[in-house]
Structure formats: C-alpha cells, structure tokens
Amino acid sequence: MTPGTAAAHFNFEVWEDGADPATYERTKALIHFSTIQRPYSKGHIRNWARMTGNTSTSTDVGTGLLYQNPVGAEVTVVPSVNYVAGAWSFGEDVMTNVNIDPGLASEMERCLAEQSDSLACALFPTLSQFRGAAGADIIASTWRNAIALLGQGTNGMAAPGEVTLYGIVDMSQLAAMMSIPEFTHAEIRGDDENPQVKGIFDKASGVLTMFTTILTTDPNGTHGCIWVPEAFAQGWNARTTPYRQRLELQNRLILANNFGVTVRHDLRAVAIRSNNVVGA
C-alpha cells in the first residue's frame, strides 16, 4: 500500500439511524369546513331560501298575501377515493437497520393529509365573489374589502364580531400581509393542545388567518379565501386508513380515504386572489 493513500477496504462508512422526513403541509382549510353525515355515493344538502318580509295596512282584509317558496336549491357532495401507496422488497426490508414500515406510514399519512387539503382549497376558484388580482400582492384595501363583502353577502351574519372567520392565503403573501396594520397587532396562535386555533388572529376583523403552499393557481391568480365553516361542506365515508399487503416478496403499504367536499353556501365565502412570488 502506497504511503499517504488508503485502500477502499480500509475505509469505514456510517449511515445515520432512521431517515429524515420530507416536508408536507398540515391540514389547514379542511378542518374549518362544516361536516355533514356520511354521503355514501352522493350526499344531498337541503337549503331554505332567503325570504322577504312584506307590510300590510290596517285596512287590508287579510287576503291576497304574497306567498314565497321557502325551498332553496339543493347542494350535493360526491366523494372520491384518495390514496398514497408505497412498496419495497423483502431484501430491502431485511438488509437494513431501518424499520421501514412505521417511518413510511408516518410520511404517507402526512402526504395524504396534504393531498386531502388541496382538494378543499381547489373549491376557492369556483366562488362567485372575490377580491384581489393575479400578479398583485394582498394589500390592506383588498383584505378589508373581502371581509366587508363577506359580511354584506351574508346579511351581517359573517360580520366581524359576530362569528370567527377563517382565512388562508399563499405563503408568498406573508410579507405583504404583515404590512397591513391589523396583522402587526394580531395574535400569533400555535397552541399544540388545540390545533384548531393555529394561525394569526386579527382581533379587529375576527379572522384566523393561515398561510399555505398548496393553493390553486391559474391565469386568474393564486386563490386564497376568507370564509365561515358553513360556506363549505365535507362528508366522509372512510377516514384515512392504512392497508398492509404482501405480494410475493414485495411489501406494500397503502393509505386511503374516501370523502367529498363542496361549496355549501357560495355567499359565505370570498376568494382572495394574489400572486405567488416571494419578494427579493
């Protein structure tokens, strides 16, 4: 052996125990949607129609009243199967010091949670009401007008101070949002014991705002939203469940769920359009 050199069979290499996890978005939008009963192949939601009051004079005979149909349009929820599947060989399983199954199961569960939430966020571009525009940051007037539009569309039911409002915008808008006075005086919430309140809570408008990277982007912009839970509905046939299989000498792990989402009340949500570019 030549001095100053090392033969390959004298080298010693070490692998760190386990494997570092990938990054996935946690569920942010879906947990703030209203929940209906199990939809099976299709769920139907009844709605009352908004009615209008009328005035009668004291001299009216009490007949000839104006009658209205109180039955509103139905809303349907059509579920789909969502899954993530992984496979590894018998050889990979026995020739490593890593227990593949539990680590992979955790990764796949987080993957499917992100995918499920992306289906919820895909409803935002379908809303009839919106503020903001493609290629623009969210500014104070955009944010305030969206909240005002939500209150107007719900006849004051979803106005600030009446109920908790939920908001979600693209992660790229963090700097822009922090230039809005309501957010510089807001509360940062991250209580591990109560994951329902994670986000930035704006006391002035009563909006719990979250940031995400999985919003839908199209030529009209990246579509965030401000809403109340009754704006959307989720219906589950099966929550996320693991299935373990063996095919010959191949191990398989599949995580699957079955649920559907829909716009339940269009005027109880306002889409917020923006760009999705982080500034320099």
Side-chain angles (χ1 to χ4, degrees), residues 191-206:
D191 184 358
D192 289 334
E193 299 301 319
N194 187 356
Q196 305 283 9
V197 298
K198 287 182 181 289
I200 300 176
F201 184 69
D202 164 17
K203 289 183 177 180
S205 56

Side-chain angles (χ1 to χ4, degrees), residues 154-199:
T154 58
N155 303 290
M157 184 202 77
E162 296 293 332
V163 294
T164 298
L165 312 179
Y166 297 96
I168 194 166
V169 296
D170 190 75
M171 189 69 72
S172 65
Q173 296 302 298
L174 180 60
M177 297 291 282
M178 288 304 172
S179 67
I180 299 175
E182 288 93 319
F183 283 87
T184 57
H185 297 91
E187 294 179 350
I188 305 295
R189 294 190 174 183
D191 184 358
D192 289 334
E193 299 301 319
N194 187 356
Q196 305 283 9
V197 298
K198 287 182 181 289

Side-chain angles (χ1 to χ4, degrees), residues 259-272:
F259 78 102
V261 290
T262 192
V263 177
R264 188 169 189 168
H265 296 285
D266 178 75
L267 297 182
R268 300 183 192 184
V270 176
I272 300 183

Side-chain angles (χ1 to χ4, degrees), residues 1 8 43 52 63 86 99 103 119 130 135 148 155-156 159 164 172 176 179 188 203 210 218 235 243 253 261:
M1 185 170 63
T52 304
T63 60
N99 191 349
L119 295 178
F130 69 90
N155 303 290
T164 298
S172 65
S179 67
I188 305 295
K203 289 183 177 180
M210 297 154 284
D218 59 28
Y243 299 92
L253 177 59
V261 290

Side-chain angles (χ1 to χ4, degrees), residues 27-49:
T27 304
K28 296 177 180 177
L30 190 60
I31 58 174
H32 300 298
F33 284 14
S34 63
T35 302
I36 65 168
Q37 66 188 52
R38 183 177 178 179
Y40 293 93
S41 60
K42 179 185 285 189
H44 297 261
I45 303 172
R46 298 184 183 92
N47 285 310
W48 293 114

Side-chain angles (χ1 to χ4, degrees), residues 184-250:
T184 57
H185 297 91
E187 294 179 350
I188 305 295
R189 294 190 174 183
D191 184 358
D192 289 334
E193 299 301 319
N194 187 356
Q196 305 283 9
V197 298
K198 287 182 181 289
I200 300 176
F201 184 69
D202 164 17
K203 289 183 177 180
S205 56
V207 182
L208 179 66
T209 304
M210 297 154 284
F211 296 85
T212 187
T213 59
I214 59 172
L215 296 178
T216 300
T217 298
D218 59 28
N220 291 318
T222 297
H223 301 264
C225 190
I226 295 178
W227 76 96
V228 291
E230 295 77 18
F232 306 103
Q234 57 178 310
W236 292 78
N237 287 319
R239 297 283 178 172
T240 298
T241 305
Y243 299 92
R244 290 173 170 82
Q245 302 175 353
R246 174 70 66 84
L247 177 64
E248 297 181 344
L249 291 179
Q250 184 183 79

